[in-house]
Amino acid sequence: KKNVKLLAGKPLLCWTIEEAKKSKYIDKIVLSSEEPSLNKWALKYQIDFHDRPLSLARDDSPVELVAQDIISIWPGYDLILLLQPTSPLRKTEDIDTAIELFFKLIDQIISFCYNTPTIKPNGAIYLMTKDKLMAGKDFFNPHEARIYMMSEERSIDIDTQEEFDKAEKAKNANELASR
């Protein structure tokens, strides 16, 4: 239910869908959930809905298996981009820049952010080839991926109420600034 919690007046998942739809490279967006009620968002945004099998809907279900199931339904794609709704501050420019980096003969991208004094994955962008995914590779393996650096202010990954509050404050500030 976290993915439909209102953030700055809009369900969390809508922020990701809207940015993905603005990408100049993305030609198919699939919303995957075991909750049939979320199909209304797919219909609203004119994207596809993947009715995730319950066997792939547990907390310990690998997202790679979900992606493989999606590929079995829509097989005509070579590039798999995972955009989790828990990163609502990610912008289209982050998505497109990561894809452009990927096009430079790289087969996997993971977004990171500076977290002084180190860098860490931020959960916003995971990108790999379909062949690599189908071979059982892991979206979350930074040792096999090229790093795409994102700004700290766009790198909030919501797992706690505190992170949600921080994201909402940032989103509200961004919305006010863009008026």
Side-chain angles (χ1 to χ4, degrees), residues 62-68 71 80 82 107-108 110 126-145:
V63 70
E64 291 82 8
L65 295 181
V66 175
Q68 289 173 358
I71 290 168
I80 309 305
L82 171 64
D107 62 0
Q108 188 172 355
I110 297 176
Y126 298 94
L127 187 59
M128 73 167 53
T129 63
K130 176 176 76 175
D131 291 342
K132 195 167 187 171
L133 177 72
M134 298 308 280
K137 296 298 182 179
D138 184 347
F139 269 117
F140 308 106
N141 186 346
H143 302 294
E144 293 190 19

Side-chain angles (χ1 to χ4, degrees), residues 6 9 15 28 31 35 43 45 59 66 69 82 92 95 97 99 101 105 117 122-123 128-129 138 141 146 159 178:
L6 294 183
W15 295 105
K28 171 157 305 283
L31 172 59
E35 284 290 328
L43 293 171
Y45 285 101
D59 286 343
V66 175
D69 192 53
L82 171 64
T92 303
I95 296 167
T97 303
I99 292 171
L101 182 61
L105 302 175
N122 66 0
M128 73 167 53
T129 63
D138 184 347
N141 186 346
R146 178 81 182 260
D159 289 317
S178 66

Side-chain angles (χ1 to χ4, degrees), residues 154-170:
R154 293 204 308 248
S155 294
I156 297 171
D157 184 23
I158 299 173
D159 289 317
T160 66
Q161 183 62 46
E162 180 182 341
E163 291 164 338
F164 183 89
D165 294 342
K166 185 177 177 183
E168 184 159 51
K169 183 177 180 183

Side-chain angles (χ1 to χ4, degrees), residues 18-137:
E18 289 173 5
E19 293 301 312
K21 285 188 70 82
K22 290 188 271 185
S23 170
K24 59 187 168 188
Y25 299 111
I26 297 173
D27 59 3
K28 171 157 305 283
I29 299 172
V30 178
L31 172 59
S32 177
S33 178
E34 72 283 1
E35 284 290 328
S37 64
L38 294 188
N39 190 31
K40 70 180 177 189
W41 297 108
L43 293 171
K44 175 182 177 172
Y45 285 101
Q46 300 178 329
I47 63 174
D48 289 298
F49 183 75
H50 172 243
D51 188 9
R52 191 182 306 175
L54 291 178
S55 62
L56 297 177
R58 299 188 329 256
D59 286 343
D60 63 345
S61 297
V63 70
E64 291 82 8
L65 295 181
V66 175
Q68 289 173 358
D69 192 53
I70 291 170
I71 290 168
S72 74
I73 298 167
W74 292 282
Y77 296 88
D78 295 324
L79 179 61
I80 309 305
L81 174 63
L82 171 64
L83 300 174
Q84 300 181 109
T86 53
S87 296
L89 302 179
R90 163 205 331 99
K91 294 286 191 191
T92 303
E93 72 181 73
D94 295 312
I95 296 167
D96 284 352
T97 303
I99 292 171
E100 289 163 2
L101 182 61
F102 183 89
F103 287 153
K104 294 178 181 176
L105 302 175
I106 297 168
D107 62 0
Q108 188 172 355
I109 298 282
I110 297 176
S111 60
F112 275 67
C113 72
Y114 292 104
N115 186 21
T116 309
T118 62
I119 63 171
K120 66 173 187 155
N122 66 0
I125 299 173
Y126 298 94
L127 187 59
M128 73 167 53
T129 63
K130 176 176 76 175
D131 291 342
K132 195 167 187 171
L133 177 72
M134 298 308 280
K137 296 298 182 179

